Amino acid sequence: MKIVLTLLVVVALFGGGPLFLWWLGDIDARGDWRSADRTSAGLAPDLENTPTAVVQIYSARAFNWRGIFAVHTWVATKPEGATQYTIHQVTGWGRPTLSSRPGTPDRAWFGSVPSVHATLCGAAAELAIEQIQEVLPTYPYMDRYRAWPGPNSNTFVAWLIREVPALDAALPSTAMGKDYLGSQLVARSPSGTGMQVSLGGYLGGTIGLDEGLEIHLGGLVVGIDPRALGIKLPGVGTLGLLNKPEATSQAECP
């Protein structure tokens, strides 16, 4: 009986969030990528009024039914004096999987409005861009993509944050694939403030100052976020008393 109750609790913890999102119907599980919204959300610093360097980390709900479980993440950079942003991201429809192309940094991801998780400006951004350019060619999964449990777009951004000391950020718990370590068992947490263990992305855990405490099962995350005084639930993300409000206005750099 105890085993059955334990299984029911595990199923409720890891499956309840995605089922709740599906029930709410806020995520379009039948969208057509050809007609999905790809307009700017107005979150990036304006190019005309921002000569300084900029780096931003974004996420948006994954396309179609995948959005019930996870987000897609990417990084945007603009060196000082540049007149366009460059988008660094991994997708499953090209080889190499990693692309770095000029584009609109805050475009909706096929119908999903993005959120900003970090913005660097000026000297801090210049240092980050230097380090990003140095490590991009060494991304270990250039010819391999797997939506679940990884390596995927979130695996790339988590890897980049680990490799670039100037990037001080923690990805949302809904970034499935962020905890994929390949053949590694132990690594620094993406924020660099703790450690994590992963068995091929299927099972593991993380503990860190920025990440809090996380238990990973099949890429889904249940955990405690002490900074937000909240909990992390699969599909839903962090529910806390001190959640940072999502960026809804244009970021500005001095």
Side-chain angles (χ1 to χ4, degrees), residues 25-58:
D26 289 340
I27 296 171
D28 185 1
R30 299 181 180 180
D32 185 338
W33 64 268
R34 291 166 295 187
S35 58
D37 179 28
R38 292 285 280 146
T39 58
S40 168
L43 300 176
D46 178 59
L47 283 170
E48 291 186 5
N49 301 312
T50 311
T52 188
V54 180
V55 175
Q56 289 186 300
I57 299 175
Y58 286 92

Side-chain angles (χ1 to χ4, degrees), residues 13-174:
L13 279 175
F14 286 93
L19 285 173
F20 178 68
L21 291 177
W22 173 79
W23 177 74
L24 281 179
D26 289 340
I27 296 171
D28 185 1
R30 299 181 180 180
D32 185 338
W33 64 268
R34 291 166 295 187
S35 58
D37 179 28
R38 292 285 280 146
T39 58
S40 168
L43 300 176
D46 178 59
L47 283 170
E48 291 186 5
N49 301 312
T50 311
T52 188
V54 180
V55 175
Q56 289 186 300
I57 299 175
Y58 286 92
S59 78
R61 284 285 167 178
F63 178 63
N64 210 298
W65 60 268
R66 297 175 184 84
I68 296 171
F69 296 92
V71 298
H72 167 78
T73 57
W74 66 95
V75 177
T77 60
K78 183 191 79 70
E80 183 177 4
T83 58
Q84 61 186 1
Y85 283 94
T86 299
I87 315 303
H88 311 278
Q89 65 182 337
V90 159
T91 60
W93 55 75
R95 294 295 182 273
T97 59
L98 172 59
S99 65
S100 297
R101 295 173 184 153
T104 304
D106 52 6
R107 290 175 78 182
W109 181 252
F110 298 101
S112 298
V113 178
S115 298
V116 180
H117 299 284
T119 298
L120 300 180
C121 301
E126 283 288 359
L127 177 59
I129 291 171
E130 250 181 65
Q131 295 173 351
I132 288 170
Q133 293 298 334
E134 185 177 340
V135 303
L136 280 178
T138 67
Y139 177 60
Y141 307 112
M142 289 287 193
D143 296 311
R144 187 181 176 202
Y145 180 93
R146 189 169 55 174
W148 178 83
N152 57 25
S153 62
N154 301 320
T155 306
F156 162 66
V157 177
W159 171 86
L160 191 64
I161 293 172
R162 286 191 195 93
E163 297 294 315
V164 175
L167 284 179
D168 182 13
L171 292 181
S173 59
T174 47

Side-chain angles (χ1 to χ4, degrees), residues 3-19:
I3 295 177
V4 173
L5 288 174
T6 301
L7 287 174
L8 288 174
V9 170
V10 170
V11 170
L13 279 175
F14 286 93
L19 285 173

